[in-house]
Amino acid sequence: MVLPGGFKEQLRCSLLLIVISAAYFECEHNFFSMSASTLQSGSFHAPVDEMLILKSKSQEIEPYLNGRCIYLVDQSLGMMGSGKTTVGKILSQVLSYLFFDSDALVEEEVDGTAVADIFKHNGEPFFRNKETEVLRKLSMMHRYVISTGGGAVVRPINWKYMQQGISVWLDVPVEALAQRITAVGTDSRPLLHYEEGDAYTKTFMRLSALFKERSEAYANANVKVSLENMAAKLGSRDESDLSPTAIAMEALEQIKGFLMGEDGC
């Protein structure tokens, strides 16, 4: 595979060698040699029995997935809230994929400048153009799980690139997202700085407005994982009771359904 130019070191030819030697061989070995609490994302630990179920599900869909990238989208403005990063890392592990955050790749394209500073000094249109260019390059690659920025869904051209792979919408109720985002702070998200009121209120109001504005865009996703529906099936009203592993399992199940339908099964 010829790697398109423009990315920094992690997307250059040396990384392709890592993909070949590590992602295809070491990941499988590492997975089965893990103890019950080894797989981590941040402070998250997954029991080995859950991970074995995940691995089994991943093996079921791999012949249909055929190396296509998986793009995760949500309405969290790119902040922690939906568990997108944790779920993405779990999916990348069990599929022997690599994980990337599109916001981080944009930052690399702008000499390591943080997203908030890009918005401040260069403006949102500049950031969106860089984001689109990142997604264009990623669309030519295989075996990646990509956590996209919250605004990536706005541009139709971005969906064109993401549809080269499988797009998965992690649908979290706005109230739950607002609570989680408020808990971790909003300083890094420039789009939350235009609302009045306390942190929760302005986060909730902004998320509600953006979701209303972008709701039709999310419908472009190949797969929808509704945390509200998942919690209801378990007899819970609190989506925070759902583990990242459970969400990843549901994502794989929904991806399998999409791929089987695509294949006419």
Side-chain angles (χ1 to χ4, degrees):
M1 179 178 69
V2 178
L3 187 70
F7 285 138
K8 303 297 183 183
E9 291 303 317
Q10 76 261 47
L11 291 180
R12 295 188 184 278
C13 293
S14 60
L15 179 56
L16 290 181
L17 295 176
I18 296 174
V19 174
I20 295 171
S21 62
Y24 285 80
F25 297 101
E26 293 181 19
C27 283
E28 289 295 317
H29 174 268
N30 291 343
F31 177 84
F32 286 108
S33 64
M34 280 191 276
S35 65
S37 61
T38 298
L39 186 69
Q40 301 181 40
S41 177
S43 60
F44 170 69
H45 301 260
V48 71
D49 57 340
E50 290 185 347
M51 294 307 299
L52 289 171
I53 294 171
L54 268 171
K55 190 62 181 178
S56 175
K57 286 182 177 292
S58 72
Q59 290 173 339
E60 290 176 7
I61 72 170
E62 280 185 299
Y64 303 96
L65 192 57
N66 198 28
R68 281 180 285 183
C69 292
I70 294 174
Y71 297 85
L72 302 179
V73 303
D74 68 4
Q75 61 267 42
S76 67
L77 296 177
M79 301 185 67
M80 289 184 289
S82 68
K84 185 171 55 178
T85 296
T86 304
V87 171
K89 289 180 178 180
I90 293 171
L91 290 174
S92 68
Q93 179 72 48
V94 298
L95 290 167
S96 297
Y97 277 29
L98 290 183
F99 174 83
F100 280 110
D101 182 295
S102 66
D103 277 0
L105 293 176
V106 171
E107 290 175 341
E108 286 294 322
E109 286 284 282
V110 193
D111 300 321
T113 306
V115 169
D117 290 330
I118 296 174
F119 269 71
K120 180 179 179 180
H121 299 296
N122 304 98
E124 183 175 359
F126 176 88
F127 175 84
R128 296 300 172 205
N129 289 337
K130 289 291 184 181
E131 180 177 59
T132 296
E133 180 62 14
V134 162
L135 291 173
R136 184 188 70 80
K137 292 170 181 176
L138 288 169
S139 72
M140 292 182 265
M141 301 181 191
H142 292 83
R143 305 189 73 84
Y144 289 88
V145 175
I146 300 110
S147 174
T148 66
V153 301
V154 174
R155 289 187 170 184
I157 187 65
N158 291 347
W159 284 107
K160 175 184 175 181
Y161 296 139
M162 289 191 286
Q163 297 295 11
Q164 298 301 309
I166 308 297
S167 52
V168 179
W169 173 23
L170 298 182
D171 181 19
V172 185
V174 172
E175 296 87 349
L177 272 178
Q179 290 173 353
R180 297 178 193 181
I181 290 172
T182 302
V184 299
T186 61
D187 290 343
S188 65
R189 289 296 103 178
L191 291 181
L192 290 177
H193 295 166
Y194 302 103
E195 301 292 338
E196 298 294 332
D198 61 90
Y200 172 79
T201 300
K202 71 179 183 180
T203 301
F204 175 78
M205 296 299 292
R206 186 59 173 159
L207 285 173
S208 297
L210 284 174
F211 180 67
K212 183 177 180 180
E213 174 186 321
R214 299 172 178 176
S215 58
E216 291 186 6
Y218 290 112
N220 289 313
N222 300 126
V223 167
K224 176 182 175 181
V225 176
S226 171
L227 272 63
E228 186 174 25
N229 289 346
M230 288 180 63
K233 289 178 182 178
L234 296 174
S236 173
R237 296 175 61 114
D238 189 352
E239 294 80 14
S240 64
D241 291 339
L242 299 170
S243 71
T245 315
I247 298 170
M249 285 183 187
E250 180 67 14
L252 286 176
E253 195 64 37
Q254 295 296 331
I255 291 171
K256 177 183 176 183
F258 170 75
L259 292 173
M260 296 288 282
E262 185 182 59
D263 202 53
C265 297

